[in-house]
Amino acid sequence: NAGVTQTPKFRILKIGQSMTLQCTQDMNHNYMYWYRQDPGMGLKLIYYSVGAGITDKGEVPNGYNVSRSTTEDFPLRLELAAPSQTSVYFCASSYGQGRAGDEQFFGPGTRLTVL
Amino acid sequence: AQSVTQLDSHVSVSEGTPVLLRCNYSSSYSPSLFWYVQHPNKGLQLLLKYTSAATLVKGINGFEAEFKKSETSFHLTKPSAHMSDAAEYFCVVSTIMNTGFQKLVFGTGTRLLVSP
């Protein structure tokens, strides 16, 4: 049981390049999330998914796209990289939501630098 | 809207001394509150969570937090710090978006430094 895995761990992009950050979970969780973490800040939600085929925007979706074709995978796409997208990206998953406050399980992160 | 404020960006303690990381929250209803820990170059790990049951919540690695509604606080404590506790700690509150989706709102984090 690997939990939430992310690839790559590190990446340097040039302005205008594109890339996909991969995220896979093996816990059969319905909910998946993408966050970005900027220095000295908490995590901000980029996109989330409540199940295969269903995604929605979070707080900071501009410049990103997502898809969810399977329960396990939730890739994040950067189409035209900009320096403002330099950040650490975390993928997370949870079984559900609700007043019980379902725990989110986080991957190890992808450190992205755009030059 | 729900929010959290972590009152200290850095806290330094000596090994074996108590740890106190402070968090105040703002919520229009009874919130779910969490503390997550992030070790260097790692993902976040849940330490503990409050979901309107007991106000004193015990977590992993000897940490605990007390929910105080009158003070809108959810401070994290540990009686005796260990070197391995050195990490970034995030106080988190859940909030319901217009779509009904439950979103986590993160504080800016407190870096705990532990000296020998």
Side-chain angles (χ1 to χ4, degrees), chain B residues 20-114:
Chain B
L20 170 63
L21 305 183
R22 299 182 295 165
C23 173
N24 286 350
Y25 70 90
S26 172
S27 178
S28 55
Y29 53 83
S30 182
S32 294
L33 291 159
F34 310 77
W35 276 99
Y36 278 84
V37 61
Q38 183 182 27
H39 287 94
N41 301 313
K42 301 286 187 184
L44 280 73
Q45 180 185 19
L46 180 69
L47 272 180
L48 50 81
K49 65 181 180 183
Y50 167 77
T51 56
S52 73
T55 56
L56 183 62
V57 182
K58 293 188 183 299
I60 62 172
N61 301 332
F63 284 94
E64 61 182 36
E66 186 171 9
F67 174 75
K68 292 187 176 180
K69 187 175 180 178
S70 61
E71 299 176 10
T72 61
S73 69
F74 190 58
H75 301 335
L76 182 71
T77 60
K78 182 174 181 177
S80 176
H82 192 272
M83 294 296 290
S84 60
D85 294 328
E88 187 94 19
Y89 292 79
F90 292 95
C91 183
V92 182
V93 66
S94 67
T95 184
I96 306 296
M97 295 171 67
N98 291 338
T99 57
F101 174 76
Q102 180 178 301
K103 183 184 76 168
L104 297 185
V105 177
F106 288 77
T108 52
T110 298
R111 183 165 297 276
L112 177 64
L113 306 169
V114 183

Side-chain angles (χ1 to χ4, degrees), chain A residues 7-70:
Chain A
T7 57
K9 285 186 169 53
F10 305 93
R11 184 73 184 267
I12 298 175
L13 284 182
K14 295 182 179 178
I15 293 172
Q17 285 186 319
S18 301
M19 78 164 294
T20 299
L21 282 66
Q22 302 291 345
C23 175
T24 300
Q25 54 92 7
D26 62 0
M27 297 173 282
N28 201 32
H29 285 169
N30 294 319
Y31 290 78
M32 296 189 73
Y33 315 83
W34 274 106
Y35 295 91
R36 59 177 288 171
Q37 182 182 30
D38 298 321
M41 305 292 289
L43 277 66
K44 300 288 187 185
L45 183 66
I46 305 172
Y47 270 95
Y48 66 93
S49 169
V50 302
I54 307 170
T55 64
D56 206 348
K57 297 177 181 178
E59 300 171 86
V60 290
N62 292 342
Y64 307 95
N65 278 300
V66 294
S67 59
R68 182 103 180 264
S69 57
T70 66

